[in-house]
Amino acid sequence: MTGGQKALIDKLERQGTLSRDEFQALLDFRTQESAQYLFERARAIRHAVYGHDVYMRGLIEFTNYCKNDCYYCGIRRRNRQAERYRLTKEQILDCCAAGYELGFRTFVLQGGEDPHYTDERMVDIIRAIKTRWPDCALTLSIGEKSRGTYRSFREAGADRYLLRHEAADARHYAQLHPAELSLENRKRCLYDLKELGFQVGCGFMVGSPYQTNECIVEDLLFIRELQPHMVGIGPFIPHHQTPFAAAQPGTMEMTLFLLGVIRLMLPGVLLPATTALGTIHPTGREKGILAGANVVMPNLSPTSVRDKYMLYDNKICTGDEAAECRMCLQRRVESIGYRLTVSRGDSKIEA
Ligand code: SAH
């Protein structure tokens, strides 16, 4: 490793950020050796803040209807081949009940932007979950809404919100999304959510079409500015029924490197080792944890709908029951010397 890389990594650890040029150099001139050093530092920080605990979140993919048309996403509106489904409130509660028995204390409701779930219906579902399991955290991941809608979700008891910013460079954002979606509104949502008291997660895909290291530097600077509680990053993986069907997937190498960088930037951040990372490599999630990640999100969706929430091709775990997913992840986490914990797993960052 060159002295320059080590100095940059040490500086990032000390200051929590770098200048634009320094971030650029860190990415452009990274090597296997500098990555190993980065992961060692990321693990040291993660152990100081979170020990060897890995938090789990039960992911409930409750609808794959979507009014948006993001070019990368398999459940985009214009994918007429996607077989659409919605879960009823009772089905969602059944998933939570099964998850609770398995030790989950955070539920994540994720879906496309589906107008069927009006504010009123969402508020009813949120209240029902929080009334029945007051000791659990509830995370929503259902896209862009007005500030008033976010406020009603918060008042109904939702604790956290995941909304990946997807691309912090406006030009790159426009290359991934149709004109009716804007980076400006995406950012507005994130700031609204934060002001309303949600624990907020942003994030982006690694290796999405047209992404350059310049784009990633912009993503890192935005993360620095927003100071989120959570950051979701995973490799882009093409879906065969999208405009990006023939695009190259993102690499595990770059994804791991960025997990390490983000851990150094935000020591207390909640950083998932994502399903997409597990999809591009059989032990991708384990490697993610060893690069600084501290969260896993096993699937609690009913097996009958699992294979329909296809954001990208070859998604793993589509045939497994919730209990199998949980036990499989527990084995994986323990195989590298960590442990899954039964807790809400709140962020240790002061909001
Ligand atoms: N509708 C919600 C949830 C989106 S799905 C929202 O707008 O936030 C969750 C995440 O999956 C997205 O934010 C996106 O970053 C990721 N994703 C979508 N398509 C993908 C693909 N082809 N490869 C990898 N990740 C993808």
Side-chain angles (χ1 to χ4, degrees):
M1 161 173 57
T2 64
Q5 282 285 308
K6 180 173 186 305
L8 285 175
I9 292 166
D10 290 340
K11 188 170 181 187
L12 179 59
E13 180 175 350
R14 263 196 325 274
Q15 305 188 344
T17 192
L18 294 173
S19 70
R20 187 180 293 275
D21 290 348
E22 288 168 333
F23 268 132
Q24 186 78 37
L26 182 64
L27 298 182
D28 286 351
F29 304 118
R30 70 189 192 282
T31 61
Q32 269 180 28
E33 295 74 47
S34 66
Q36 286 315 315
Y37 181 66
L38 173 68
F39 301 154
E40 272 169 39
R41 297 314 311 152
R43 281 199 298 272
I45 293 173
R46 175 257 204 267
H47 294 153
V49 182
Y50 289 105
H52 284 69
D53 290 350
V54 174
Y55 297 146
M56 55 176 184
R57 281 72 167 95
L59 184 62
I60 303 169
E61 300 155 336
F62 70 102
T63 173
N64 72 348
Y65 282 85
C66 193
K67 67 181 170 64
N68 291 336
D69 221 6
C70 308
Y71 302 148
Y72 46 84
C73 186
I75 63 168
R76 65 200 297 264
R77 176 180 74 220
R78 282 178 52 195
N79 181 5
R80 306 263 175 245
Q81 268 122 290
E83 197 187 317
R84 306 288 170 170
Y85 73 91
R86 294 186 172 108
L87 299 186
T88 62
K89 175 182 169 188
E90 285 63 39
Q91 285 176 304
I92 295 172
L93 292 174
D94 286 347
C95 292
C96 296
Y100 193 89
E101 288 305 307
L102 292 168
F104 288 92
R105 295 297 176 269
T106 292
F107 304 119
V108 182
L109 294 187
Q110 188 178 87
E113 290 197 19
D114 180 356
H116 169 83
Y117 296 91
T118 57
D119 293 359
E120 211 185 341
R121 284 186 174 136
M122 279 315 300
V123 161
D124 180 49
I125 293 169
I126 295 165
R127 286 222 178 91
I129 293 175
K130 291 296 289 191
T131 306
R132 205 157 142 199
W133 296 283
D135 54 331
C136 291
L138 180 58
T139 308
L140 300 177
S141 179
I142 52 176
E144 299 176 21
K145 308 276 176 187
S146 70
R147 187 184 175 98
T149 295
Y150 287 146
R151 182 183 295 111
S152 65
F153 293 168
R154 181 82 189 112
E155 285 168 2
D159 304 278
R160 306 183 185 138
Y161 207 101
L162 298 177
L163 186 77
R164 291 186 176 182
H165 64 276
E166 312 293 1
D169 177 273
R171 187 159 154 250
H172 186 218
Y173 192 92
Q175 288 169 320
L176 301 179
H177 301 96
E180 66 264 22
L181 294 172
S182 75
L183 175 60
E184 197 190 350
N185 194 50
R186 199 85 182 163
K187 286 189 175 178
R188 189 272 304 159
C189 290
L190 285 163
Y191 284 106
D192 277 351
L193 287 162
K194 220 178 167 206
E195 282 168 28
L196 289 164
F198 283 95
Q199 293 178 30
V200 171
C202 67
F204 60 95
M205 293 175 290
V206 178
S208 58
Y210 309 106
Q211 186 183 62
T212 61
N213 284 355
E214 282 77 4
C215 296
I216 298 175
V217 170
E218 212 53 52
D219 289 316
L220 295 174
L221 292 171
F222 174 66
I223 289 170
R224 180 69 205 167
E225 178 192 298
L226 179 68
Q227 300 269 327
H229 302 80
M230 314 172 271
V231 178
I233 65 164
F236 160 75
I237 303 172
H239 184 290
H240 65 288
Q241 288 151 351
T242 64
F244 293 153
Q248 284 296 112
T251 66
M252 179 166 76
E253 181 271 322
M254 183 57 119
T255 307
L256 296 176
F257 195 83
L258 291 170
L259 286 171
V261 167
I262 294 165
R263 173 62 63 202
L264 258 56
M265 290 172 63
L266 300 170
V269 78
L270 295 162
L271 202 54
T274 57
T275 305
L277 186 54
T279 297
I280 58 164
H281 190 280
T283 55
R285 285 170 298 179
E286 290 89 320
K287 290 179 197 294
I289 291 167
L290 292 170
N294 65 332
V295 172
V296 290
M297 300 174 69
N299 206 311
L300 290 181
S301 313
T303 43
S304 55
V305 303
R306 278 298 174 85
D307 56 344
K308 300 188 179 78
Y309 197 80
M310 276 295 173
L311 307 179
Y312 46 81
D313 289 339
N314 304 316
K315 190 176 161 206
I316 53 170
C317 312
T318 54
D320 300 345
E321 295 287 349
E324 292 173 65
C325 277
R326 187 211 179 279
M327 296 325 281
C328 163
L329 272 167
Q330 178 164 344
R331 276 194 305 278
R332 289 170 182 273
V333 163
E334 287 175 0
S335 76
I336 51 168
Y338 289 79
R339 59 178 168 258
L340 276 189
T341 65
V342 174
S343 78
R344 282 175 41 122
D346 284 300
S347 158
K348 300 199 177 182
I349 293 181
E350 303 303 317

